[in-house]
Amino acid sequence: MHSFYGYRRPQGLPGVRNWVAVISSVFCANNVVRRIVQQVAGTVELTHPVGCSQVGLDLELTAKALKGVGRHPNFYGVVVVGLGCERFRAEELADSIAATGKPVEMVVIQEEGDTQKAIEKGVRFAQSLVEQAAKQKQEEFPLSELFLGLKCGGTDATSGIAANPVLGWVTDQVIAEGGRAMFTEVTELIGAEHVLARRAVTPEVGQKILDMVRNMENKLKLGTGHSELQNRSALISPGNEDGGVTSVVEKALGGIHKGGTGPITGVLSYGEPVGGPGLYILDCPGHDGEAVTGLSASGCQVVVFTTGRGTPTGFPGVPVVKITGNTSTYERMKFNLDFNAGEVIDKGFTIPNVGAGLLQKVIDTATGEPTKAEIAMGDELFCITRSYGG
């Protein structure tokens, strides 16, 4: 049985980092958030372009994502910054986070008088929370307390041959020890949904998987139905094609290996917290940022991201472990990539042999070893999904 060292939280899973998050409830507060973080070491900036002029499901997705990220176990405490007149009120966000027992402070710019006063107050709040967080010590936790997010991007043929099967082996180990894992990218599951449905723990979960993919197909049909948009309708990117993946079905059949071989416990909506142990699917498009934001909003403490072509992106406050099955990509992008699974192809190493190395990398990361994206201060993957009447 494996273990890692993390930070106990009042509710739920432990954190694998001990940051203080500074979150804007609306894009108008982004500059204040940024200025606070610049002045207080130990804080993480979470800014975004939404929070106002949204209605219905679009606004609800923003609310669920921000609440979920704010409740994330990697954050000891949170400073919420609002403007004061937005549709998604700062009070709603702060109250949702505080309900978990996490310390929360709130700054509303219009109530403070101007941005400078808001920044000064936010800095005081953030400094106090960082000082509190510094007093907390790491504790040992079993792997059953780990929730792993699974993602791929910049796919090439080696992703389905090596990187995703190696990650799938790790997923199976985490689940076998009572942990949790979740994958997503529904736009890139098309053509493999029947395979996934057969792995569902119940017929009802199997039907949810089929319905989820069918709904995504219908949205894609609506968005690509105009004849003048046919040149904008490919689900496969030029990089995928250059790397040997020529259809979404090929991509799906390679991508589902991330989820290992075990049963699928459930399907979650965007921003929905995970339940008990097991393997889950998150209903979200394949966009890297929207997907990793969704995984984080559901509570994944570590995200493992496979990439054949290579990507430098990271998420604020949540370590993203980058692995590739393409050794030449690894050699070119060593500053950005954490693990090379290409030895499955180059040297004929077995998937369990390479998987054991990746599992240790995940455990080391959960215990505090920084990822390449953390070292580079990558935060590009914080991107809330949108809904336009769907």
Side-chain angles (χ1 to χ4, degrees):
M1 303 294 286
H2 298 86
S3 64
F4 65 98
Y5 285 82
Y7 300 89
R8 191 173 299 278
R9 298 304 184 213
Q11 289 185 20
L13 298 173
V16 304
R17 298 292 186 266
N18 204 33
W19 294 101
V20 169
V22 186
I23 306 177
S24 55
S25 62
V26 64
F27 75 95
C28 319
N30 285 349
N31 186 51
V32 171
V33 168
R34 194 169 297 118
R35 294 280 300 279
I36 293 169
V37 170
Q38 288 170 349
Q39 296 180 58
V40 184
T43 59
V44 171
E45 172 192 329
L46 287 153
T47 53
H48 56 85
V50 287
C52 200
S53 297
Q54 296 175 273
V55 295
L57 179 60
D58 191 39
L59 182 57
E60 179 63 12
L61 289 172
T62 292
K64 290 177 69 175
L66 289 175
K67 290 175 182 178
V69 171
R71 293 191 295 256
H72 197 282
N74 288 0
F75 302 134
Y76 169 85
V78 178
V79 177
V80 173
V81 182
L83 177 58
C85 56
E86 59 267 31
R87 290 182 183 173
F88 180 54
R89 305 300 296 271
E91 293 88 349
E92 181 181 345
L93 177 56
D95 289 347
S96 173
I97 298 168
T100 67
K102 193 187 298 287
V104 180
E105 301 287 359
M106 185 177 69
V107 178
V108 178
I109 297 167
Q110 291 170 349
E111 293 179 5
E112 296 306 318
D114 60 30
T115 57
Q116 190 57 43
K117 293 175 183 175
I119 292 165
E120 291 170 358
K121 189 171 187 177
V123 167
R124 291 197 301 271
F125 283 152
Q127 286 176 332
S128 176
L129 289 174
V130 168
E131 290 170 5
Q132 295 173 38
K135 298 175 183 178
Q136 189 169 9
K137 304 299 181 185
Q138 286 182 309
E139 302 176 37
E140 187 173 9
F141 294 93
L143 207 62
S144 59
E145 295 293 294
L146 187 66
F147 182 15
L148 203 60
L150 316 172
K151 179 70 179 77
C152 58
T155 299
D156 71 2
T158 70
S159 297
I161 296 169
N164 289 335
V166 166
L167 177 52
W169 185 91
V170 171
T171 300
D172 285 342
Q173 307 314 303
V174 171
I175 300 300
E177 295 193 27
R180 300 159 175 79
M182 185 161 65
F183 63 105
T184 181
E185 303 172 277
V186 179
T187 46
E188 296 172 7
L189 299 181
I190 296 170
E193 64 271 20
H194 60 295
V195 180
L196 296 173
R198 289 200 296 264
R199 293 171 52 187
V201 292
T202 65
E204 290 77 15
V205 172
Q207 190 60 50
K208 283 185 177 180
I209 294 171
L210 296 174
D211 292 343
M212 173 184 66
V213 175
R214 186 176 299 112
N215 289 339
M216 188 63 74
E217 285 183 301
N218 289 335
K219 290 180 182 178
L220 290 169
K221 287 177 182 176
L222 287 173
T224 61
H226 299 287
S227 58
E228 65 268 22
L229 297 178
Q230 292 308 299
N231 66 325
R232 302 291 192 190
S233 300
L235 286 176
I236 297 299
S237 72
N240 295 152
E241 292 180 344
D242 291 344
V245 179
T246 59
S247 74
V248 70
V249 176
E250 287 180 354
K251 196 171 188 179
L253 292 173
I256 62 174
H257 286 297
K258 298 191 301 296
T261 59
I264 296 172
T265 304
V267 175
L268 299 185
S269 61
Y270 201 77
E272 182 180 356
V274 74
L279 176 65
Y280 297 82
I281 303 178
L282 173 69
D283 189 359
C284 175
H287 180 280
D288 291 350
E290 294 176 16
V292 176
T293 299
L295 294 171
S296 300
S298 290
C300 294
Q301 302 126 307
V302 178
V303 174
V304 185
F305 191 125
T306 69
T307 176
R309 305 290 291 177
T311 176
T313 54
F315 191 92
V318 178
V320 181
V321 180
K322 298 289 180 47
I323 82 168
T324 185
N326 189 323
T327 298
S328 63
T329 297
Y330 181 76
E331 293 297 330
R332 286 196 311 272
M333 298 190 68
K334 279 187 176 179
F335 182 78
N336 301 115
L337 303 179
D338 298 279
F339 188 87
N340 181 25
E343 291 177 330
V344 170
I345 299 170
D346 305 334
K347 300 180 180 178
F349 289 178
T350 66
I351 287 171
N353 179 262
V354 178
L358 179 59
L359 177 59
Q360 188 59 53
K361 170 62 73 174
V362 169
I363 291 170
D364 291 344
T365 299
T367 297
E369 180 182 282
T371 64
K372 297 292 181 63
E374 288 179 291
I375 293 169
M377 297 185 290
D379 61 0
E380 304 90 342
L381 292 172
F382 183 44
C383 177
I384 299 168
T385 197
R386 300 294 303 272
S387 174
Y388 298 96

